[in-house]
Amino acid sequence: MACGSGSFPRVRLRRIRQQAWSRDLVAETSLYLDDLILPLFVGRDEGEIKEDEKTPLDLPCVTLGQLERFVCEQVVPSGVRAIMLFPVVPAVLKDQAGSYALKSDGLVPQALRCLKACAPDLGCIVDVALDPYTSHGHDGLVREGMVLNDETVEVLAQMACLYAENGADCVAPSDMMDGRVGVIRCALEGRGHHNTMIMAYAAKYASAFYGPFRDVMGVQHQAKGFHKKTYQMDVRNQKEALRETRLDVQEGADFVVVKPGGLSLDVLATLNKEVAIPLVAYQVSGEFAMLRAASKMGWITYEQALLESMVVMKRAGASAILTYGALDVARLLKEASAS
Ligand code: PBG
């Protein structure tokens, strides 16, 4: 073939793709074990999480009594270095105000004490919001159909302090109330918890992809009129994500979470360019469910699709990733490095 004035065939982008070593040599994005955070649901021991009640998805879920064993036998050996705790509260303990959230011997304080005793080097992040505790399933206090902001923030700050006292390394407000990061930071400083980090869900969209999570929590999310659009962000907006993130940075956030992560790659890329703060992408339950369901149908290969879904979030700018598949990713990374 004649070499014309155009670049082909001098330039053939496929040359470099022919061998594994040259593909790896030029790879722009890497995924490490250190990037992973495992979200973990913890329930009480009185049989709330029976085998037949588990979602078909099999989201990582244990009771308090199973926690130590799960962490010591599965999480720590996997190489995953941090978990994010979510309590699964039985309906009988839920009320309008979510008052169980502030019980000093509640689920989360007990889980934290257990974790700090059995796995002191494992990073313990705790989600801070009222939805696991409220009978209506909203992330805040509700009066006359309105989710109250400032009153909710006061409760969140108390929750954050309770968790810090019980050993949380990091609190993760996921409620999307205005001003909560600043108030939580002040409360933590006031109680001497200077080193307790805040991982703020800054760009959290009112998404249809939280369904399996809400099922585990026992939130009646399919009820008519149930939505969180008065506090979570509108999926049509990106500038709003930038404003939310800048505010959280000013208020003292140490990291910010973008979710649903895989559906917000544009947001990750923009935030990565515009704001100097580590970004955590959350692959939420509905995103994970799609991978699982499609692979169950034989339409995609779970392992490959899972890894790809991780890499693209890193390529977009994420420093770390929350995924229910963290233990699987860890295994795949280990297998890849051994081969
Ligand atoms: C609630 C919370 C939600 C998730 C994390 N924290 C659900 C919601 O906002 O209703 C969703 C995570 C997931 O779907 O995996 N504070």
Side-chain angles (χ1 to χ4, degrees):
M1 188 180 297
C3 271
S5 56
S7 54
F8 180 81
R10 283 188 302 281
V11 179
R12 286 181 188 268
L13 293 184
R14 288 188 56 194
R15 278 186 209 117
I16 221 166
R17 297 182 195 142
Q18 298 309 305
Q19 298 183 59
W21 70 266
S22 54
R23 287 195 295 271
D24 291 344
L25 193 72
V26 298
E28 296 168 34
T29 308
S30 308
L31 177 66
Y32 305 107
L33 258 171
D34 299 349
D35 301 331
L36 303 170
I37 305 168
L38 174 73
L40 179 62
F41 296 99
V42 181
R44 290 173 22 124
D45 288 323
E46 296 89 64
E48 281 84 34
I49 319 168
K50 295 190 201 102
E51 269 313 308
D52 59 346
E53 281 173 5
K54 275 193 176 176
T55 58
L57 243 186
D58 204 16
L59 297 176
C61 216
V62 294
T63 64
L64 263 180
Q66 297 165 331
L67 180 62
E68 175 170 351
R69 197 159 163 202
F70 178 74
V71 164
C72 295
E73 292 182 7
Q74 297 200 46
V75 183
V76 174
S78 77
V80 169
R81 300 179 58 191
I83 59 175
M84 184 181 277
L85 280 183
F86 292 96
V88 181
V89 179
V92 290
L93 295 177
K94 295 184 183 184
D95 59 23
Q96 280 281 327
S99 46
Y100 184 75
L102 294 177
K103 271 185 76 88
S104 54
D105 61 346
L107 250 176
V108 171
Q110 284 193 62
L112 284 168
R113 292 197 290 266
C114 164
L115 287 165
K116 283 293 137 187
C118 75
D121 295 329
L122 185 69
C124 286
I125 308 165
V126 188
D127 190 85
V128 175
L130 279 173
D131 58 316
Y133 305 101
T134 53
S135 42
H136 43 70
H138 280 294
D139 291 26
L141 303 172
V142 175
R143 195 182 305 141
E144 289 161 14
M146 305 267 284
V147 178
L148 305 175
N149 194 88
D150 302 11
E151 294 82 344
T152 299
V153 169
E154 289 308 318
V155 181
L156 298 174
Q158 291 175 41
M159 283 170 80
C161 288
L162 176 65
Y163 297 165
E165 269 147 35
N166 283 281
D169 300 298
C170 179
V171 290
S174 67
D175 53 285
M176 292 298 283
M177 298 299 122
D178 286 324
R180 87 280 201 223
V181 173
V183 173
I184 289 173
R185 186 71 266 162
C186 269
L188 290 171
E189 295 294 321
R191 304 266 196 103
H193 301 299
H194 310 296
N195 290 326
T196 306
M197 295 169 268
I198 299 180
M199 184 178 286
Y201 289 71
K204 173 169 179 178
Y205 287 96
S207 169
F209 287 82
Y210 304 147
F213 174 98
R214 292 177 183 169
D215 284 339
V216 175
M217 290 285 170
V219 172
Q220 305 300 313
H221 60 97
Q222 299 192 4
K224 199 163 167 276
F226 184 87
H227 66 80
K228 299 190 175 182
K229 291 182 184 174
T230 69
Y231 44 109
Q232 299 178 350
M233 284 189 328
D234 190 317
V235 292
R236 292 171 293 189
N237 300 341
Q238 201 194 76
K239 284 183 186 155
E240 206 179 345
L242 196 50
R243 291 185 82 190
E244 282 282 2
T245 303
R246 287 192 172 130
L247 281 175
D248 284 0
V249 172
Q250 277 170 21
E251 290 177 31
D254 299 285
F255 320 80
V256 293
V257 179
V258 175
K259 76 188 260 195
L263 293 170
S264 311
L265 298 182
D266 58 328
V267 177
L268 283 165
T270 300
L271 294 179
N272 191 40
K273 213 163 77 196
E274 302 285 339
V275 193
I277 189 156
L279 303 174
V280 183
Y282 194 154
Q283 178 177 62
V284 299
S285 56
E287 295 177 288
F288 184 66
M290 290 196 297
L291 293 178
R292 274 280 221 255
S295 70
K296 210 169 176 176
M297 294 299 290
W299 293 333
I300 63 173
T301 306
Y302 170 69
E303 283 81 3
Q304 289 167 12
L306 179 65
L307 284 180
E308 181 175 330
S309 70
M310 299 290 109
V311 168
V312 294
M313 289 190 279
K314 290 217 62 192
R315 188 186 69 209
S319 308
I321 298 171
L322 279 149
T323 173
Y324 298 98
L327 297 183
D328 294 330
V329 177
R331 176 177 48 80
L332 295 167
L333 290 177
K334 279 187 179 169
E335 282 170 12
S337 70
S339 67

